[in-house]
């Protein structure tokens, strides 16, 4: 497996020199300064690749080449947006960057209610708290239909939290939910979020699936011609929120995605944390189901609570049997190697991590600390090395 590290370029306080000390040699990055829907110029791609090469790294994976919201909504004349996406793929391929991770989550990317929830060790982690999410949806957004999405006990506690919350508490919750990804250009206040959500009125699960299928129809043939690999990231969290449908959350969803185009160019970013937050998912079994189309792996672990909350756990702890999952990935690599595939190795990165030690006093992107991810990479490296020895 290829050890990789996510790096946010000019948005990242972690230097490439520091990344080199982790032992990772592949970089996962994107041109975060380019607005969604615009073409990634070949010259900008070449500069980024050259910067990485000068520091001793390969640009192993693009994460992400964003899909514009209008494509997700199926809104208006989408021809220019599809053309721009295809041109960006062509420009990446021309510079030898051949793998692209993306997602089809409507409006928001990963969503958490707490960016620095305390853990027993004294570190902090990302957390999705069902009570606070319900308080946000029902009481701050005023989306009363959200009451059907939460158990009665959660709604009772959500109302109590909202009544006791200060303005700073509510602003902090909004900020956590809006944290999204560095380089994303849309940040909303409550009124702005209501307006943005209205753009998805009437679309629903089947409508979003139809728009996703159209996107795949427009870009997968180009990726095939270029010899590229596209891999969709699962929903995070893997449940409907804010009235928005999520369509890449379980085994049925992944099967639908892969059946939409039976092509190596149409694959999966297997995120054990996103899929692991769904109580219905057996993560190692799910990896085995889609193994031949896993082009990239995010390895992290979560601990779930009965009320639908979950938080990031240490990489070898949590609810997912990480050793069993890595065994599936190594078996798939062996199958590819036996079939003569030159690209048999699966790139992976230690996803998220606890903020700990000196990271607690350093400004870092939420969920992407230096030491917490270094710990995760070291633990995962040990598992991979041990299993590789049989």
């Amino acid at each position: 497996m290829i050890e990789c590290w996510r790096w946010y370029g000019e948005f990242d306080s972690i230097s490439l020199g520091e990344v080199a000390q982790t032992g990772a040699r592949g970089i996962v990055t994107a041109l975060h300064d380019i607005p969604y829907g615009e073409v990634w110029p070949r010259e900008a791609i070449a500069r980024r690749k050259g910067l990485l090469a000068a520091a001793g790294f390969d640009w192993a994976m693009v994460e992400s080449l964003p899909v514009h919201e209008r494509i997700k909504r199926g809104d208006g004349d989408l021809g220019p947006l599809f053309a721009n996406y295809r041109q960006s793929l062509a420009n990446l391929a021309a510079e030898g960057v051949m793998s692209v991770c993306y997602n089809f989550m409507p409006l928001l990317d990963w969503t958490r209610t707490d960016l620095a929830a305390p853990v027993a060790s004294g570190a902090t982690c990302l957390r999705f708290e069902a009570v606070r999410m319900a308080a946000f949806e029902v009481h701050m957004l005023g989306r009363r239909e959200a009451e059907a999405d939460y158990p009665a006990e959660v709604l009772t506690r959500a109302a109590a939290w909202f009544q006791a919350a200060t303005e700073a508490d509510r602003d902090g919750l909004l900020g956590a939910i809006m944290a999204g990804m560095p380089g994303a250009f849309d940040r909303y206040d409550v009124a702005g979020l209501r307006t943005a959500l209205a753009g998805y009125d009437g679309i629903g699960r089947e409508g979003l699936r139809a728009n996703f299928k159209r996107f795949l129809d427009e870009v997968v043939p180009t990726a095939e011609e270029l010899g590229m690999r596209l891999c969709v990231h699962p929903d995070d969290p893997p449940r409907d929120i804010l009235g928005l449908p999520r369509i890449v959350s379980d085994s049925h969803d992944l099967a639908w995605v892969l059946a939409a185009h039976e092509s190596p160019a149409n694959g999966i970013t297997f995120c054990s944390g996103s899929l692991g937050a769904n109580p219905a998912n057996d993560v190692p079994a799910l990896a085995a189901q889609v193994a031949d189309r896993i082009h990239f792996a995010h390895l992290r672990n979560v601990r779930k609570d009965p009320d639908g909350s979950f938080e990031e756990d240490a990489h070898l702890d949590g609810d997912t049997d990480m050793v069993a999952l890595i065994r599936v990935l190594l078996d798939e690599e062996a199958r590819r190697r036996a079939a003569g595939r030159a690209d048999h190795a699966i790139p992976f990165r230690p996803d998220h991590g606890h903020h700990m030690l000196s990271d607690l006093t350093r400004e870092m992107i939420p969920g992407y600390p230096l030491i917490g991810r270094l710990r995760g990479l070291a633990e995962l490296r040990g598992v991979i090395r041990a299993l590789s020895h049989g």
Side-chain angles (χ1 to χ4, degrees), residues 57-108:
F57 295 104
D58 296 323
W59 190 348
M61 179 70 60
V62 172
E63 186 179 351
S64 298
L65 181 58
V67 180
H68 198 278
E69 285 302 311
R70 285 182 50 215
I71 292 175
K72 297 175 187 177
R73 294 194 305 263
D75 179 19
D77 178 13
L78 299 179
L81 287 174
F82 288 130
N84 286 356
Y85 205 96
R86 291 190 292 265
Q87 187 61 56
S88 294
L89 292 178
N91 291 347
L92 285 162
E95 294 299 326
V97 183
M98 305 301 290
S99 299
V100 174
C101 170
Y102 68 97
N103 76 69
F104 215 81
M105 288 180 261
L107 200 58
L108 299 179

Side-chain angles (χ1 to χ4, degrees), residues 260-283:
H261 271 268
E262 295 282 357
S263 166
N266 177 36
I268 300 295
T269 295
F270 195 88
C271 180
S272 58
S274 297
L275 294 165
N278 184 338
N281 289 337
D282 177 332
V283 176

Side-chain angles (χ1 to χ4, degrees), residues 113-114 127-136 138-139 150-165 173 305-310:
T113 59
D114 299 88
R127 180 171 173 82
F128 180 90
E129 175 66 53
V131 167
R132 292 188 187 182
M133 195 68 205
F136 182 78
V138 176
H139 299 286
Y150 296 93
E153 190 267 342
V154 168
L155 292 171
T156 299
R157 292 168 57 202
W161 181 90
F162 180 75
Q163 290 300 321
L173 177 56
D305 295 333
D307 67 359
S309 304
F310 63 89

Side-chain angles (χ1 to χ4, degrees), residues 9 19 35 39 70 108 127 189 282 292 300 344 370 381:
V19 177
V39 173
R70 285 182 50 215
L108 299 179
R127 180 171 173 82
D189 58 15
D282 177 332
D292 64 333
R300 63 182 173 91
H344 61 268
L370 176 60
R381 179 184 294 141

Side-chain angles (χ1 to χ4, degrees), residues 286-321:
L286 187 51
Q289 172 189 321
V290 299
D292 64 333
R293 304 272 280 279
I294 294 175
H295 300 329
F296 184 30
H298 290 180
L299 299 183
R300 63 182 173 91
N301 223 321
V302 297
R303 180 181 60 78
K304 298 182 289 293
D305 295 333
D307 67 359
S309 304
F310 63 89
E311 66 181 37
E312 310 287 349
D313 211 334
H315 286 75
L316 300 188
D317 297 329
D319 296 338
T320 292
D321 184 340

